[in-house]
Amino acid sequence: MTTDSTKAAPDRAELPAQSPPVDPAQTAAAEHAAAGKAPTGRIPFWSGDGGEGARRNLGLLATLVVLVVIGIATRPDLYGNASWVWGNTLTILKLASVVGVVTVGMTFVIIGGGIDLSVGAIVALAGVWCTTVATQSYGAGGMIFSALVVGLAVGVVNGLLISYGKLVPFIATLAMMVAARGLAAEISDKQTQVSDNQFINGIASTQPLGIPLLVYILAAVVIAGWVLLNRTTFGRRTVAVGGNAEAARLAGINVRLHTLLLYALSGLCCGIAAIMLTAQANSAQAAMANLYELDAIAAAIIGGTLLSGGRGTIVGSLLGVIIFSTITNLFAINGLSTEAQNMVKGGIIVAAVLIQQVQFGNLGNRFGRKRASTA
């Protein structure tokens, strides 16, 4: 039996032709042409997504300028003295140094989709631990080592509870906040422990090239954090886990281990901050670093870090810390109450969150319109 090779194939429903890949540069050129502009052949940095961080940071710098202008208007007698202005600037940076180090670790945690309410308690526990008589007998090296190890260990416990114990980050770190404060009070017997080590105490008073050593430590931590977030696989995985943990898992990322490392990094930053704060006060107690968790979270939000995770910058968080330190300094030189200062800070936090919602709402609408137009 022979088959007819020329037999016509059965009719098939015609499939729509697949659209070719869209070149972003061509899209940008088309948009420029529609607006009556000459095509540039590339996406403008300032108007693209890549320029969003730069625009936000410039906005934060503008906020700092406004705060300085307010200071000049309210206290022209002080700002008219150049030496006072320089000294006051160093005071603001020194005030921002300890919270700034904690904020770097907090920024990583929030970008990774978590939250850490225990950072202030970890700083207190590490500070109390490193100032015990037994620890001080090992000298400055022993004190620094113990503070870093305690901070790292508590961070690892937080990470284990959240990543492998599957506890909600808010609950796990809230429990750790209470437990760490209680342990610090137990170790110190609710007393202030004085640091007798001259090297540790000298960290706060040493000023290489006229700049406090605490500012150098902050700069080193910020630079290390920026490199880790923007130039390493660890940073890219942090953004991926915070943006969509399930997609990151399917892409081959060990989400549990990475979450553990994020909280360990936060604890390590708390250990560094404990040494800095102990050096400033020449002592440590269970009540130290009170509400540092709120300051760190607020600074990260002001800097553009999304509470839902997946987005944030180290530079923005640093500027957020400096803005809050400048506000504190501005209220202090004008003799205003701490209560009024806290109300202003609260208003700034609410405004920052609302701005984020508006920005991403507009972004979502924009993408929605693009999908509708290409459907």
Side-chain angles (χ1 to χ4, degrees):
M1 180 177 179
T2 61
T3 58
D4 188 1
S5 60
T6 61
K7 185 177 179 180
D11 294 338
R12 295 180 182 177
E14 241 179 66
L15 297 177
Q18 185 176 1
S19 301
V22 178
D23 185 1
Q26 295 177 357
T27 303
E31 291 177 353
H32 277 263
K37 300 178 182 178
T40 60
R42 60 185 178 85
I43 300 176
F45 169 76
W46 184 254
S47 61
D49 290 340
E52 183 174 351
R55 293 194 300 270
R56 185 188 305 113
N57 291 341
L58 283 178
L60 295 173
L61 289 174
T63 302
L64 282 174
V65 172
V66 170
L67 292 175
V68 171
V69 171
I70 293 174
I72 294 174
T74 55
R75 292 302 303 269
D77 55 326
L78 296 179
Y79 278 89
N81 187 338
S83 61
W84 181 90
V85 171
W86 171 247
N88 189 57
T89 301
L90 294 180
T91 300
I92 292 173
L93 293 176
K94 191 175 180 180
L95 181 64
S97 60
V98 180
V99 179
V101 170
V102 175
T103 302
V104 171
M106 181 69 77
T107 301
F108 274 93
V109 170
I110 296 178
I111 293 176
I115 197 74
D116 192 349
L117 301 179
S118 64
V119 289
I122 296 176
V123 172
L125 178 60
V128 165
W129 199 302
C130 75
T131 53
T132 59
V133 175
T135 305
Q136 291 194 57
S137 65
Y138 290 95
M143 294 177 68
I144 294 174
F145 177 78
S146 64
L148 297 181
V149 169
V150 168
L152 181 63
V154 178
V156 168
V157 172
N158 277 336
L160 288 173
L161 292 174
I162 294 168
S163 57
Y164 294 93
K166 297 183 179 180
L167 291 181
V168 178
F170 182 89
I171 299 299
T173 57
L174 180 63
M176 181 58 71
M177 177 182 70
V178 178
R181 289 280 183 192
L183 181 57
E186 182 68 23
I187 293 175
S188 63
D189 197 21
K190 300 181 181 179
Q191 302 296 320
T192 299
Q193 297 183 164
V194 178
S195 170
D196 296 325
N197 190 281
Q198 297 303 315
F199 178 83
I200 297 295
N201 297 343
I203 292 176
S205 57
T206 303
Q207 295 191 2
L209 302 178
I211 299 176
L213 182 58
L214 293 176
V215 178
Y216 286 104
I217 297 175
L218 171 62
V221 173
V222 167
I223 292 172
W226 184 91
V227 172
L228 186 62
L229 181 61
N230 297 280
R231 293 293 183 267
T232 66
T233 303
F234 182 87
R236 291 190 290 272
R237 288 178 176 177
T238 300
V239 175
V241 170
N244 191 323
E246 181 61 20
R249 186 187 67 81
L250 294 176
I253 298 175
N254 190 335
V255 176
R256 289 184 176 182
L257 176 60
H258 194 84
T259 301
L260 171 63
L261 294 177
L262 288 176
Y263 283 93
L265 177 61
S266 178
L268 182 62
C269 289
C270 291
I272 298 173
I275 292 295
M276 300 168 67
L277 193 58
T278 300
Q280 283 184 314
N282 293 341
S283 62
Q285 56 180 329
M288 68 190 294
N290 188 35
L291 297 180
Y292 270 33
E293 55 277 356
L294 298 183
D295 290 340
I297 294 172
I301 294 173
I302 293 299
T305 303
L306 288 180
L307 278 175
S308 57
R311 195 182 189 94
T313 65
I314 299 297
V315 175
S317 296
L318 174 63
L319 291 175
V321 173
I322 296 176
I323 285 175
F324 278 119
S325 298
T326 304
I327 292 174
T328 300
N329 178 263
L330 187 62
F331 274 71
I333 64 176
N334 284 281
L336 300 177
S337 65
T338 305
E339 291 77 11
Q341 172 186 322
N342 291 335
M343 287 189 290
V344 171
K345 285 184 177 181
I348 292 175
I349 296 171
V350 172
V353 174
L354 289 176
I355 290 173
Q356 286 184 358
Q357 290 180 347
V358 170
Q359 286 178 341
F360 282 88
N362 291 339
L363 190 62
N365 292 336
R366 186 189 312 167
F367 281 128
R369 288 195 299 271
K370 286 184 178 180
R371 293 195 198 99
S373 62
T374 56

